[in-house]
Amino acid sequence: MRILLLSDIHSNLEAFDACLAAAPPHDLVVNLGDTVGYGGNPNEVIARARELGKVFVRGNHDRAVSGLMDLEDFNPVAGLATLWTRDQLTRANLDWLRSLPQGPIRLDEFPGIQFVHGSALDEDEYMVSVRDAIEPLITNPVPVTFFGHTHLQGGFMLQGEISEAYRPGYRTIGRPESSDWPLRKDVRYLVNPGSVGQPRDGDWRAAFAIFDTDAWVVTFYRVPYNLRVAQEKILAAKLPPRLATRLATGR
Ligand code: ZN
């Protein structure tokens, strides 16, 4: 079976559409959270995400927009985007966001993997460095954890006492590309498919991944999308312009 892993779409419809168009055939879609926040199409992105399947983990933006979390921990730009998004969303979409489950999510048909937003220990934790990843790696009972939240495509592994970071290797910046990460059964992993709609790893292309549960291989993808249209929607909505400009640099 092949699982399409999406995370941190952040209301970016153009990036989301580009990922769906580029994704190879798959059997299941799992969304690791932050479907909304930052971008210009929150209702449209929720509608499309819900059409794709039922497996979701809630993100911090999903909680903030739907009133489950106060905005104290958000910077002013994220806070403004949250208030704007809350104002745009239909009541049905707000209710749906509020109903999303907290991770970790495990599925009976796929033993050995689980899904979280931040980490299995704390849904708001940012696993950016190996140091951040060590405790979740050591304490996880599950070999492979898929996570989001950092908007950095790649992951971490723990083999015996050794933990390391992993980043997919790409050659270009403007074209679609993919990169395979074959996993070993005796190694523990944390895997981030990257952010669909707000990449922050210096590559502006939309990110996602496919996990083949038979071959135990993660394939990371990066796809260009219609950046200008996504930026124009942010500016037309009078959202902070920084949310539009940073899309171009992937920072
Ligand atoms: Zn996010």
Side-chain angles (χ1 to χ4, degrees), residues 105-186:
I105 302 291
R106 295 177 197 155
L107 304 172
D108 291 341
E109 59 270 48
F110 301 113
I113 64 177
Q114 67 180 357
F115 308 101
V116 304
H117 184 62
S119 92
L121 302 173
D122 176 353
E123 63 180 325
D124 292 327
E125 182 179 4
Y126 287 94
M127 295 193 292
V128 173
S129 66
V130 173
R131 183 186 289 221
D132 306 326
I134 287 175
E135 201 189 346
L137 278 169
I138 289 172
T139 55
N140 268 340
V142 176
V144 182
T145 302
F146 293 98
F147 72 103
H149 197 38
T150 63
H151 301 206
L152 306 171
Q153 192 179 46
F156 304 96
M157 56 190 143
L158 177 72
Q159 183 181 6
E161 308 264 281
I162 313 279
S163 50
E164 282 177 59
Y166 177 88
R167 294 272 174 254
Y170 294 116
R171 290 160 191 275
T172 66
I173 196 82
R175 287 203 295 263
E177 284 184 280
S178 67
S179 173
D180 282 345
W181 190 18
L183 306 187
R184 287 172 44 178
K185 291 279 187 179
D186 60 337

Side-chain angles (χ1 to χ4, degrees), residues 7-10 33-34 36 38 60-61 117 126 148-151 195 198 200:
S7 193
D8 298 278
I9 303 169
H10 282 293
D34 281 3
V36 297
Y38 298 142
N60 50 319
H61 285 259
H117 184 62
Y126 287 94
H149 197 38
T150 63
H151 301 206
S195 170
Q198 275 280 348
R200 228 166 272 164

Side-chain angles (χ1 to χ4, degrees), residues 35-130:
T35 300
V36 297
Y38 298 142
N41 285 110
N43 285 305
E44 295 80 358
V45 163
I46 287 178
R48 195 143 317 173
R50 292 182 70 178
E51 279 164 25
L52 293 174
K54 292 191 167 59
V55 187
F56 287 85
V57 183
R58 69 183 189 183
N60 50 319
H61 285 259
D62 304 327
R63 273 158 51 225
V65 165
S66 62
L68 289 177
M69 186 181 110
D70 59 41
L71 299 179
E72 266 171 26
D73 294 338
F74 273 24
N75 64 50
V77 166
L80 284 169
T82 301
L83 296 173
W84 179 86
T85 304
R86 190 183 289 165
D87 207 42
Q88 298 296 310
L89 285 178
T90 64
R91 168 112 320 253
N93 282 338
L94 277 169
D95 289 344
W96 176 78
L97 278 180
R98 205 172 292 128
S99 73
L100 292 175
Q102 178 178 355
I105 302 291
R106 295 177 197 155
L107 304 172
D108 291 341
E109 59 270 48
F110 301 113
I113 64 177
Q114 67 180 357
F115 308 101
V116 304
H117 184 62
S119 92
L121 302 173
D122 176 353
E123 63 180 325
D124 292 327
E125 182 179 4
Y126 287 94
M127 295 193 292
V128 173
S129 66
V130 173

